[in-house]
Amino acid sequence: MIADARPIDEIVRRAQQGDVDAFEMIYRRTAPAIYRLCRRMLGDERDARDRMQDTFVRAWERLTSYRGQSSLDTWLHRVAVNVVLEHLRATKRDASRLIDVDDDSFGSRPSDSPADASMDLDAALARLPNGARTVFVLYVEGYSHDEIAQMTGIAAGTARAQLWRARRALAKVLDHE
Amino acid sequence: MNDDRHLTEEERQAFADDAPPVERRVELEAHLAACADCFDDVARLRSVTMRFRKAPNDPAPVEELWPSIRARIEQEKIVALGSAPVATRQWLRARHLVALGALAAGAMLTVVLLRPSHRIVIDSTVAVSDTTALRLVADSVKSYEDESRILLNRLELQRAMMRPEAAASIDRDLKVIDQAIDELQLAIQNDPRNPALRHLLASSYRQKVELLKRASNAS
């Protein structure tokens, strides 16, 4: 492992100049949070691994556009969200298509299983429909309803409704723990 | 509130979001204060969000994924130098920046040397207290010199794999930077305690190292 005692600004500057070792330091600092985001948004470990790789490759490609207006963590987080949303759209599992208020499985599927009692948070999340999970995860990560609506291409009211439904479903599951 | 005078699902969720309807907030809060069912349910919904926010990160496959990420990055660099027009533009821009940097160093050197009292630009108090700073700059220069030597050796090994025009352009840029370094070293011999000259020298060496790193990565 490469030591990373230097200030992050200096590491970013070096990475922007093409220093892959410096970029590796950024990767090691930020990868756990990015992986968690991908894992939660996708609900699938293999997909999460692939999208995490895509995120850091894209971050490398676009690092020169990072000007420090936001923190590096925030910037990388946004890159990851975009990568995951693009993947969901590309695989025709985008939020707007999957946010289906008539989905019978919504809210009932998680709590019907006997395995639910020992279900951890991410496993509970993984059992939500993709669109609802996306909205919930983005909300948990701190995005507003309007931002979520803008990112996912749905109406703010729909985003809010899906958040509420996801949260109610998760509350039922977690009550059984 | 619904017919049973409890908060509706929408109202409970809005409270869980800390965004109850402004016009009814007082009324709804009064109900929450009096109704344990509604209060508990709002707390339950809030706790769902909080549990996810506070949950520690799962073990991430950080070590495992880095080699493939690095390989993709390196692969992109090779492709970029050979064919991708955007990357080529970036490379050219980087080269122009290096050349401009060297020219700027030269121009600044001229300014420093032409100043009538450049030897006493910094008053004696500052000059004495800057001994440590001068040593640090000298250390930086030494470090850059060492690094550029290693990179130059590596570049020679990689030269056979480079396109001739790419190798030629690197040599041209190196020549510009080396000229600036030579001039600065000469100037420092005449004025060894001038921090501006030493900073310029360190800066020129840094440019050289960066150019060599780019060339090395690209090849």
Side-chain angles (χ1 to χ4, degrees):
Chain A
M1 186 182 287
I2 295 173
D4 58 346
R6 274 164 286 200
I8 188 67
D9 290 349
E10 169 64 11
I11 295 170
V12 170
R13 191 187 64 77
R14 283 177 48 208
Q16 286 176 323
Q17 290 168 347
D19 185 336
V20 183
D21 291 337
F23 187 70
E24 184 181 353
M25 292 179 196
I26 294 171
Y27 167 79
R28 289 182 186 283
R29 282 177 185 226
T30 55
I34 297 297
Y35 177 73
R36 180 173 81 165
L37 174 72
C38 294
R39 178 82 175 79
R40 285 183 168 180
M41 284 185 78
L42 292 157
D44 179 88
E45 191 180 335
R46 205 174 75 175
D47 272 356
R49 285 165 171 254
D50 291 346
R51 301 294 78 79
M52 182 163 106
Q53 292 186 52
D54 292 347
T55 296
F56 281 99
V57 171
R58 183 173 298 181
W60 168 262
E61 291 167 349
R62 301 193 179 169
L63 198 56
T64 51
S65 70
Y66 172 66
R67 296 276 177 249
Q69 302 94 325
S70 58
S71 76
L72 183 69
D73 288 351
T74 304
W75 182 79
L76 267 170
H77 194 279
R78 190 56 192 258
V79 172
V81 168
N82 288 339
V83 164
V84 171
L85 290 176
E86 283 170 24
H87 170 75
L88 290 172
R89 289 190 187 103
T91 52
K92 307 209 182 296
R93 294 189 292 154
D94 67 289
S96 54
R97 286 171 60 94
L98 283 160
I99 292 178
D100 180 359
V101 291
D102 297 323
D103 185 344
D104 290 339
S105 68
F106 199 103
S108 59
R109 182 172 54 180
S111 58
D112 288 344
S113 163
D116 287 345
S118 59
M119 188 178 290
D120 67 19
L121 294 179
D122 287 350
L125 198 56
R127 298 184 69 171
L128 292 177
N130 288 311
R133 186 174 59 247
T134 299
V135 170
F136 181 77
V137 172
L138 291 175
Y139 180 79
V140 166
E141 294 290 339
Y143 292 101
S144 70
H145 292 301
D146 287 340
E147 287 171 324
I148 294 169
Q150 192 179 24
M151 285 189 280
T152 56
I154 59 178
T158 307
R160 191 177 287 108
Q162 292 308 314
L163 165 71
W164 293 353
R165 289 166 68 87
R167 185 158 54 194
R168 178 60 72 191
L170 289 167
K172 281 184 193 171
V173 172
L174 298 174
D175 276 351
H176 288 95
E177 280 189 338
Chain B
M1 283 182 279
N2 60 23
D3 293 342
D4 299 327
R5 312 303 295 167
H6 283 299
L7 266 59
T8 63
E9 173 71 5
E10 189 174 335
E11 289 162 347
R12 293 174 191 209
Q13 293 275 5
F15 263 104
D17 283 344
D18 291 320
V22 179
E23 67 280 6
R24 298 188 57 221
R25 182 174 195 132
V26 174
E27 176 195 355
L28 297 175
E29 280 178 343
H31 176 82
L32 272 180
C35 176
D37 284 350
C38 288
F39 182 87
D40 288 347
D41 194 43
V42 169
R44 184 166 159 248
L45 292 171
R46 273 193 183 132
S47 76
V48 172
T49 311
M50 292 314 296
R51 283 183 66 173
F52 278 91
R53 282 189 176 146
K54 289 181 177 173
N57 287 342
D58 287 339
V62 177
E63 295 290 337
E64 191 186 331
L65 295 185
W66 173 247
S68 35
I69 293 170
R70 181 162 194 143
R72 284 174 65 182
I73 288 171
E74 299 288 357
Q75 182 64 28
E76 280 202 356
K77 284 180 170 180
I78 293 166
V79 172
L81 188 65
S83 58
V86 173
T88 305
R89 279 201 302 275
Q90 285 171 347
W91 168 249
L92 286 172
R93 193 166 61 236
R95 283 188 46 230
H96 287 152
L97 286 173
V98 166
L100 282 173
L103 287 173
M108 287 176 74
L109 172 63
T110 310
V111 169
V112 170
L113 292 176
L114 288 180
R115 269 199 281 193
S117 56
H118 76 270
R119 284 168 191 276
I120 50 168
V121 163
I122 298 170
D123 70 43
S124 56
T125 326
V126 176
V128 170
S129 66
D130 270 359
T131 304
T132 310
L134 282 172
R135 199 181 66 241
L136 287 173
V137 175
D139 288 347
S140 301
V141 168
K142 174 77 171 56
S143 161
Y144 284 130
E145 274 179 324
D146 292 344
E147 194 173 359
S148 65
R149 202 172 298 120
I150 293 166
L151 289 166
L152 271 171
N153 287 338
R154 193 188 299 170
L155 184 65
E156 286 312 308
L157 293 173
Q158 293 171 329
R159 192 175 283 275
M161 296 158 60
M162 297 172 73
R163 291 185 304 162
E165 59 270 32
S169 69
I170 290 166
D171 288 342
R172 273 198 302 275
D173 291 341
L174 281 173
K175 193 176 171 186
V176 172
I177 295 173
D178 282 341
Q179 277 174 352
I181 288 172
D182 288 345
E183 287 170 18
L184 283 161
Q185 282 173 332
L186 194 63
I188 287 168
Q189 277 177 16
N190 295 325
D191 190 2
R193 295 193 63 78
N194 189 326
L197 290 174
R198 288 187 181 273
H199 277 291
L200 280 172
L201 182 62
S203 171
S204 297
Y205 265 114
R206 193 179 66 235
Q207 286 181 334
K208 185 173 179 177
V209 166
E210 285 163 5
L211 173 67
L212 289 167
K213 276 186 178 171
R214 280 196 207 95
S216 177
N217 287 337
S219 63

